[in-house]
Amino acid sequence: MATIYDVAKKAGVSPKTVSRVLNGDAPVNEKTREAVHAAMAELNYIPSSAARSMRSQKSGLIGMITGAISASPSAAEAIGLPEIFLVQGVQRVLAENGMTLLISDTGGHRDRVPTLIKTLLEHRVEGLIYVAEWHQEVDFAGLLGGRHAVLVNCFDSHGTPSVVPDDEGGQHALVSALVARGHRRIAFLTLPESLVARGLRLAGYRRALGEAGIAYDDDLVVTAAISDPAHEFDYLWDALDRVLNLDPKPTVICCANDKMAMRVYALLRDRGLKVGEDISVAGYDDYRIITEHIDPALTSAELPYAAMGMRGAEKLMRLIGGTTRPNEPLKELVSGPLAWRHSVKDLKETVTSFKTRRRDL
Amino acid sequence: MATIYDVAKKAGVSPKTVSRVLNGDAPVNEKTREAVHAAMAELNYIPSSAARSMRSQKSGLIGMITGAISASPSAAEAIGLPEIFLVQGVQRVLAENGMTLLISDTGGHRDRVPTLIKTLLEHRVEGLIYVAEWHQEVDFAGLLGGRHAVLVNCFDSHGTPSVVPDDEGGQHALVSALVARGHRRIAFLTLPESLVARGLRLAGYRRALGEAGIAYDDDLVVTAAISDPAHEFDYLWDALDRVLNLDPKPTVICCANDKMAMRVYALLRDRGLKVGEDISVAGYDDYRIITEHIDPALTSAELPYAAMGMRGAEKLMRLIGGTTRPNEPLKELVSGPLAWRHSVKDLKETVTSFKTRRRDL
DNA sequence: CGGTGTCGTGACATCGGTGTCATAACGCCG
DNA sequence: CGGCGTTATGACACCGATGTCACGACACCG
């Protein structure tokens, strides 16, 4: 590799002058500049960021630690996938700020995190982003080596800045929209009790009902997913059966996520019920490969991964730049849009044209 | 940050001795070593890889360029997603080799690649991995700055080492398995003609038929997907209609991918056909979030993303280490397993138990 | 007991940039 | 015409590691 000395010699100037041309931090004579540029082009010169960062103490690197990329080796399909949009969001913001992303992956082993952080610190990352596989509380304070850090899709109790999805708001928006279409008996098949998202979504559900003056009915809310990915939906049939046997029946089934909704479609079909006509279904996550291609297309609340990534990266940039806004919240809630599709019937619409529906798909 | 000099001073030795303790490249007295370790721990010392790589000319970094992470900004759902497993595979191998992954993303803009490569070269990556969004031919020779590089999910005509999916083999295995279950009229709804994978899969389809002594019937093969993601499946209804009206009818529909199969499920249901009983369906990709949760579960050929990532990274490690195997192929084909599920009926089985099917789901 | 080899250690240069300071040429002001 | 500010450039040290070489202390050999 050519060095700045090679360029200097070829252009007949001092290395420092080449440096000035590179960084534009001091005036350089037009002719000199051209000579330097020519020399750089000819030698195919690319400055070494290692050398530069040694002197300037700035690496231009941001480290990201995640288990979101490598789903756990055993449960390959369990987690993962849409979280990639999160990486994308982070990447986009960093690129705009001239930063490069260093990625480390836990491979599903949380206990590797200290080692990974150490590697990132060796590269003198200017900031760290930890991304969790799902909305949860974590505890890494102390490991961070004093670096600026942001938690994404998770939070801690040590005051580390974080960015989390607005689960409460998302479920609230979804249920409110259902109510607006005339639904009043809204079943809710929830996530396992251990998950943070479950509590928040349930709160959103209750708030939406409350605002509409609908009494909360405990029978309509059933835990339908199990934490163990191998048995995730083992109780789904039973959970659905319970809410369908209620009197009065629910007119819509809110599912904890789109995968569950996909299963519910099949179970409802087995019972002779047509989704979107005899009964409505809504999901969560807006995992488009499901929601847009299933029939009928699934109404869902988007879990805003890309936006969380961007918000997290922006927050980190502000931390590093010392431009944190005066009243910037420590924990940022990120909302996602509602994707309204044909799986939910509008009970206030007088006529439903079957033909229209099918063609829209 | 503490430096090696700080540690040396605190331990009462020379920096070089600290270096020796760190790298274990020369004998150090037991007591000295302990003193150094104590000093490092106390100062929370983490060596600077920038300084180290300057001296040793080794960065310990591998650069990856991809559009697979950021699906194109417009067609958010079009590409992407499972390709993340590819990143996972790469990561895993690199971690085993003590390398760190630098990720750059095109954000869907192919013309950013030169800039991204330049950034990676500034960080003196020891090797480059280019990952394409789908199996295709590319042309980056010349941009690579003489660095070791491997193309994944793509190839070029300049002799750059590459790793690609065995599309021909995958489709061949799938169709052979169908034939083994007694299917002889096998419809094939294919990808757009422009795609490399289409030709390969078609070849695999034909080879499987040939081996079984089944004549190739042009009418059974219909292009059913369009390149424009906004209109991807606009012709699907028509394509399916054509093959279903053939005489004799096909007993199984091979779809170009799982998304298409999902659509086909709905279209078949509209026609009153029960998938897995009246007619069989197979997909491609084995995108598990679809294949395992749809009803009936979808038979599919896996597009082995994780394996491709690992193979690509391993190839790169061998290139860098100069341990390329004597007869190592320039272009490696990666095969994936067949995921056999209930969407395909076994025509050689006398009785099909409906109850069993449903419970298995 | 002198020669040779291994162990244990440090001085010093070096990797490729950039910060600091010095210097020279030039134009402008009073 | 002397003093001063600006422009343009270079000499030199330094960032934090490691490679090279040298040196002293022993142990072992003949």
Side-chain angles (χ1 to χ4, degrees), chain A residues 46 49 54 77 84 91 100-103 122-124 259 263 266 269-270 287 289 293 295 358, chain B residues 46 49 54 84 91 100-103 122-124 259 263 266 269-270 287 289 293 295 358:
Chain A
I46 295 181
S49 70
M54 231 177 114
E77 64 97 42
I84 193 57
Q91 238 291 142
T100 306
L101 185 60
L102 262 176
I103 288 200
E122 284 184 0
H123 289 282
R124 296 293 188 266
K259 266 194 316 192
R263 296 276 189 152
R269 215 157 45 225
D270 286 351
Y287 197 172
I289 199 155
H293 296 282
D295 175 52
R358 176 52 27 95
Chain B
I46 294 181
S49 69
M54 228 178 117
I84 193 57
Q91 239 292 141
T100 306
L101 185 60
L102 263 175
I103 288 200
E122 285 184 358
H123 288 282
R124 297 293 187 265
K259 265 194 318 191
R263 297 276 189 153
R269 216 158 41 227
D270 286 352
Y287 198 169
I289 199 156
H293 296 283
D295 178 51
R358 178 50 26 93

Side-chain angles (χ1 to χ4, degrees), chain A residues 93-332:
Chain A
V93 172
L94 293 188
E96 280 168 14
N97 286 270
M99 297 272 172
T100 306
L101 185 60
L102 262 176
I103 288 200
S104 271
D105 195 294
T106 63
H109 301 276
R110 185 68 56 95
D111 51 346
R112 280 197 205 142
V113 170
T115 315
L116 298 181
I117 291 184
K118 203 190 154 204
T119 303
L120 296 178
L121 290 181
E122 284 184 0
H123 289 282
R124 296 293 188 266
V125 293
E126 294 178 42
L128 286 165
I129 299 180
Y130 179 86
V131 176
E133 297 95 314
W134 63 88
H135 190 173
Q136 62 190 277
E137 180 163 359
V138 295
D139 186 1
F140 296 124
L143 295 179
L144 302 173
R147 283 293 190 292
H148 294 295
V150 171
L151 304 173
V152 174
N153 208 23
C154 54
F155 56 95
D156 70 9
S157 55
H158 304 286
T160 310
S162 61
V163 172
V164 295
D166 182 10
D167 282 305
E168 199 270 352
Q171 193 72 48
H172 172 265
L174 177 59
V175 174
S176 294
L178 295 175
V179 169
R181 263 67 166 201
H183 292 272
R184 297 184 67 82
R185 291 288 286 171
I186 302 174
F188 191 14
L189 305 184
T190 72
L191 292 168
E193 313 216 346
S194 56
L195 298 185
V196 172
R198 176 205 149 96
L200 294 170
R201 303 239 186 105
L202 193 53
Y205 169 87
R206 296 187 75 142
R207 180 160 65 94
L209 292 188
E211 287 170 4
I214 302 173
Y216 173 80
D217 179 351
D218 208 41
D219 291 335
L220 283 167
V221 178
V222 182
T223 303
I226 302 173
S227 296
D228 178 359
H231 300 277
E232 196 173 0
F233 296 128
D234 278 11
Y235 290 165
L236 182 57
W237 189 93
D238 182 59
L240 183 62
D241 188 60
R242 278 168 59 189
V243 298
L244 288 180
N245 286 331
L246 292 175
D247 184 32
K249 270 194 166 97
T251 58
V252 53
I253 315 283
C254 280
C255 299
N257 55 47
D258 297 333
K259 266 194 316 192
M260 182 190 286
M262 205 166 162
R263 296 276 189 152
V264 164
Y265 270 45
L267 297 175
L268 291 173
R269 215 157 45 225
D270 286 351
R271 291 171 168 258
L273 293 172
K274 279 197 172 164
V275 173
E277 296 181 34
D278 306 326
I279 191 161
S280 296
V281 174
Y284 207 103
D285 295 352
D286 196 18
Y287 197 172
R288 298 198 183 170
I289 199 155
I290 292 181
T291 55
E292 292 184 346
H293 296 282
I294 203 171
D295 175 52
L298 179 63
T299 291
S300 195
E302 182 181 326
L303 207 44
Y305 285 105
M308 283 197 294
M310 294 185 66
R311 291 273 290 270
E314 285 166 357
K315 205 173 176 66
L316 185 58
M317 292 298 100
R318 289 195 298 272
L319 276 171
I320 292 173
T323 56
T324 304
R325 300 193 199 114
N327 54 354
E328 181 166 336
L330 216 53
K331 185 178 189 175
E332 294 193 20

Side-chain angles (χ1 to χ4, degrees), chain B residues 137-298:
Chain B
E137 180 164 359
V138 297
D139 186 2
F140 297 124
L143 294 179
L144 301 173
R147 281 295 188 294
H148 295 295
V150 170
L151 303 173
V152 174
N153 208 20
C154 55
F155 56 94
D156 70 8
S157 55
H158 304 287
T160 310
S162 61
V163 172
V164 295
D166 181 12
D167 281 306
E168 199 269 353
Q171 193 71 49
H172 171 266
L174 177 59
V175 174
S176 295
L178 295 175
V179 170
R181 261 68 167 198
H183 292 271
R184 298 184 64 84
R185 291 287 287 169
I186 302 173
F188 191 13
L189 305 184
T190 73
L191 293 168
E193 312 216 346
S194 55
L195 298 186
V196 172
R198 176 205 148 95
L200 293 170
R201 303 239 184 105
L202 193 52
Y205 169 87
R206 296 186 75 142
R207 181 160 65 93
L209 292 188
E211 287 170 4
I214 302 173
Y216 173 79
D217 180 350
D218 208 43
D219 290 336
L220 283 167
V221 178
V222 182
T223 303
I226 302 173
S227 296
D228 177 359
H231 299 277
E232 195 173 0
F233 295 128
D234 279 9
Y235 289 165
L236 183 58
W237 189 93
D238 182 58
L240 183 64
D241 188 60
R242 278 168 59 189
V243 298
L244 289 179
N245 286 331
L246 292 176
D247 184 30
K249 271 195 164 96
T251 57
V252 53
I253 314 283
C254 280
C255 298
N257 55 47
D258 298 333
K259 265 194 318 191
M260 183 191 286
M262 205 166 162
R263 297 276 189 153
V264 164
Y265 269 44
L267 296 176
L268 291 173
R269 216 158 41 227
D270 286 352
R271 288 170 168 258
L273 294 171
K274 279 195 172 163
V275 173
E277 296 181 34
D278 305 328
I279 191 162
S280 296
V281 174
Y284 206 105
D285 295 354
D286 194 18
Y287 198 169
R288 298 200 182 168
I289 199 156
I290 291 180
T291 56
E292 293 185 344
H293 296 283
I294 203 170
D295 178 51
L298 179 62

